[in-house]
Amino acid sequence: MIASKDALAVIGLGYVGLPLAVEFGKQRRVIGFDIKPERIAELHSGNDHTREVSSTELAEAQYLRLTANTDDLRDAKIFIVTVPTPIDAHKRPDLTPLIKASEAVGRALKKGDIVIYESTVYPGATEEDCVPVLERVSGLTYNVDFFCGYSPERINPGDKAHRLTTIRKVTSGSTPEIADMVDALYASIVTAGTYKAESIRVAEAAKVIENTQRDLNIALINELAIIFNRMEIDTDAVLKAAGTKWNFLPFRPGLVGGHCIGVDPYYLTHKAEALGYHPQVILAGRRINDGMGSYVAGQMVKALLRRRIHVEGARVLVLGLTFKENCPDLRNTRVVDVVAELREYGVRVDVYDPWADANEARAEYGLNLISTPEVGSYDGVVLAVAHDSFRQAGSEALRRYAHEGGVFCDLKSIFARDASDLRL
C-alpha cells in the first residue's frame, strides 16, 4: 500500500509535468525531475517560461523538491512520467523520450513501487514498450515486484479556465488494486473528479481518440472552407447560420498544430498499420490539415497578384508563430508551413510574435523573429494567431503594417468580414 507520506516523483517538468508536480507538492513530498539543469534553475528562481504556473503557485508547493539528478529519484515510491511523445520527420511515433525516462525510472525502481504514465501513446505502448524497459533495467517483475498505471494528460496550454484540477481525470492500473490506488491518488488533487477506466489500454485509447476526433472535425471544416472559397461564399457566415441548430458542432477552420491534435492521430494510425489495417478517414483528415499552410500561402500569393504586386521580392508580415493564441508553445506550430511556402514563391517574410521566445524560434525552426513591425513597409500582412494583443489592437492598426494597396489576411476570422481582404 502506498502511503501519503511516500515520496512521489514527476519525470518531465514541461506543460504537463510542472502543474502536476506543483499540485501534488502542496500536500505531499514530490521530487520534480527534468533532464535540463537550466529548467531546474529557472524554476528555482520562481519563473516558468511556459506560463502555466505562476511564481505564487510555485511557492505554494512547499513539499516540492526540484532536481536534474537521476539519483534523487531513488527516494520515490510513485513515479509519474510526463515526457513528450513527438513524431519524427516521417510522421512516425518517436518514443525516445519515453524510453529514456523509463530507463531512468528503472534504475530507481524498488519492490512495491508504482509507475504511472501520462504521455500520449498508442494503445498498448505502456505495457508493450515501457514495461519491458522497466523490467530490463530494474531486474524486477511486472505486476509482481512493481506495478503500472496510465492517466492521460489533458492539459490545455494557455487555458486559464480549464486547469489540471478542474478537468476530469481518466485513471487506470495494471491490477484492480493498483487501479484503485491510482484513482485515489489523482482524486486527492483533481476537484473535477476522476473516471476509472477498465484497463490501461482503454485509458490509452481514450486519450488518443480525443484529439483524433477533434482533428477530423477541423479537417472537415477546413475542406468546407476550401470548397466555399471556390463558390465565393463566406465560410464564417455559413458556420454562423448552421450553428443555429442545437446539435451543430462549433469547429472553425485553421492551422492544426501543437503537441496533441496534429500529432496524436499518427500514433493511432501507426499502431493500426502495424496490425495490418490502413486507416482511411483518419489519414485523410491529417492530409487536409497538414496541407492548410500551403493552401493559405497560395491564397495570399493570389491576393497579391490581384493587387498587381510582384510576388518575388514582396514583403509579407506574419503575425503570430505559436501553435495557439495567448500561449508561448511553439511545438509543432503549422505557421511555419505558411512561412516556408511563401518563401518558396520568393516572398520575403518577417514574423512577429510577442508570446514566442526568439531563441526557441531560432533553434527549432531557424526563424529570426523581429522585435517590432514597421508600419507601412509590407505588401501583405497575415494574422496567423489570435493573440489577445492582436485582437485589442484592431484590424485597422494591423492593416497599417502594410502599405496602401497591400493585402490583409485575417486567417483566424477574428474581425468583421469587411475588415480584411482574405480569410479562410
Side-chain angles (χ1 to χ4, degrees):
M1 177 68 69
I2 299 295
S4 60
K5 68 177 184 299
D6 291 324
L8 178 154
V10 176
I11 294 87
L13 298 177
Y15 286 86
V16 175
L18 182 62
L20 198 65
V22 166
E23 206 58 45
F24 275 122
K26 295 176 182 178
Q27 58 179 243
R28 65 185 301 155
R29 289 194 299 141
V30 175
I31 303 160
F33 171 83
D34 198 279
I35 60 172
K36 297 178 180 177
E38 61 271 23
R39 175 62 166 161
I40 299 301
E42 171 192 295
L43 296 175
H44 272 141
S45 72
N47 179 52
D48 169 31
H49 76 273
T50 71
R51 307 192 198 186
E52 290 300 305
V53 174
S54 68
S55 57
T56 300
E57 289 171 319
L58 273 171
E60 289 173 348
Q62 57 182 321
Y63 303 113
L64 172 61
R65 176 162 59 103
L66 302 167
T67 181
N69 186 348
T70 55
D71 289 340
D72 292 334
L73 296 177
R74 298 180 186 277
D75 294 336
K77 291 288 292 180
I78 307 170
F79 303 84
I80 303 180
V81 178
T82 61
V83 297
T85 43
I87 53 176
D88 64 18
H90 303 288
K91 298 177 180 176
R92 297 174 304 198
D94 179 5
L95 296 181
T96 303
L98 199 61
I99 298 304
K100 287 186 175 180
S102 297
E103 290 173 342
V105 171
R107 289 190 289 272
L109 207 56
K110 304 168 295 301
K111 286 189 176 183
D113 289 356
I114 299 176
V115 185
I116 304 168
Y117 289 89
E118 288 212 7
S119 306
T120 302
V121 291
Y122 45 75
T126 297
E127 294 173 296
E128 296 167 11
D129 296 285
C130 299
V131 165
V133 174
L134 295 173
E135 289 186 314
R136 171 175 56 81
V137 176
S138 69
L140 301 175
T141 302
Y142 177 52
N143 276 345
V144 174
D145 300 316
F146 73 92
F147 307 88
C148 283
Y150 183 81
S151 181
E153 62 90 0
R154 282 177 164 173
I155 294 294
N156 188 26
D159 190 337
K160 300 307 178 185
H162 302 94
R163 308 291 300 277
L164 168 64
T165 59
T166 61
I167 303 172
R168 194 175 183 189
K169 201 82 164 73
V170 173
T171 67
S172 64
S174 56
T175 71
E177 294 77 18
I178 295 301
D180 289 340
M181 289 184 189
V182 172
D183 193 69
L185 176 69
Y186 283 104
S188 69
I189 63 166
V190 179
T191 57
T194 59
Y195 177 87
K196 188 168 57 177
E198 63 184 57
S199 69
I200 287 176
R201 288 166 64 88
V202 167
E204 291 169 327
K207 167 57 180 176
V208 81
I209 70 163
E210 286 176 14
N211 291 319
T212 299
Q213 182 188 66
R214 184 168 175 79
D215 188 45
L216 284 170
N217 276 295
I218 299 173
L220 171 62
I221 302 301
N222 275 337
E223 187 166 54
L224 291 174
I226 293 171
I227 294 170
F228 292 146
N229 178 59
R230 295 193 176 194
M231 295 179 174
E232 298 184 349
I233 299 174
D234 183 68
T235 301
D236 187 57
V238 174
L239 294 177
K240 286 179 179 177
T244 59
K245 189 179 180 187
W246 78 92
N247 61 352
F248 185 81
L249 302 177
F251 287 93
R252 312 287 302 179
L255 303 175
V256 181
H259 67 298
C260 285
I261 300 178
V263 172
D264 295 356
Y266 287 120
Y267 272 75
L268 184 57
T269 58
H270 169 81
K271 186 64 173 180
E273 289 174 336
L275 295 171
Y277 178 77
H278 182 71
Q280 299 180 59
V281 175
I282 298 172
L283 288 175
R286 282 280 74 234
R287 284 192 295 272
I288 291 170
N289 286 341
D290 279 347
M292 288 306 292
S294 177
Y295 174 77
V296 168
Q299 293 300 111
M300 186 65 182
V301 166
K302 290 178 182 179
L304 292 172
L305 290 172
R306 285 194 292 268
R307 295 287 177 88
R308 300 291 191 269
I309 297 173
H310 191 64
V311 173
E312 187 170 0
R315 295 190 67 198
V316 168
L317 171 67
V318 173
L319 296 171
L321 179 63
T322 60
F323 91 89
K324 64 180 292 189
E325 66 276 5
N326 307 321
C327 170
D329 197 345
L330 290 175
R331 289 176 296 174
N332 195 39
T333 174
R334 301 289 22 112
V335 178
V336 296
D337 296 342
V338 179
V339 175
E341 189 72 10
L342 285 172
R343 286 177 172 172
E344 284 290 316
Y345 285 102
V347 176
R348 293 181 294 157
V349 183
D350 284 345
V351 182
Y352 170 70
D353 192 326
W355 279 84
D357 181 271
N359 291 328
E360 186 179 353
R362 188 179 305 109
E364 190 70 24
Y365 302 109
L367 291 175
N368 293 309
L369 301 183
I370 62 171
S371 56
T372 306
E374 188 177 339
V375 172
S377 61
Y378 296 95
D379 299 294
V381 175
V382 178
L383 175 56
V385 184
H387 293 316
D388 284 347
S389 57
F390 294 152
R391 288 178 182 270
Q392 292 160 6
S395 59
E396 290 187 12
L398 301 183
R399 181 186 281 277
R400 279 198 290 270
Y401 289 127
H403 58 69
E404 187 175 351
V407 176
F408 176 48
C409 171
D410 179 8
L411 179 57
K412 302 298 292 184
S413 298
I414 65 174
F415 300 119
R417 188 189 327 173
D418 58 1
S420 62
D421 306 302
L422 181 68
R423 61 184 189 171
L424 285 177

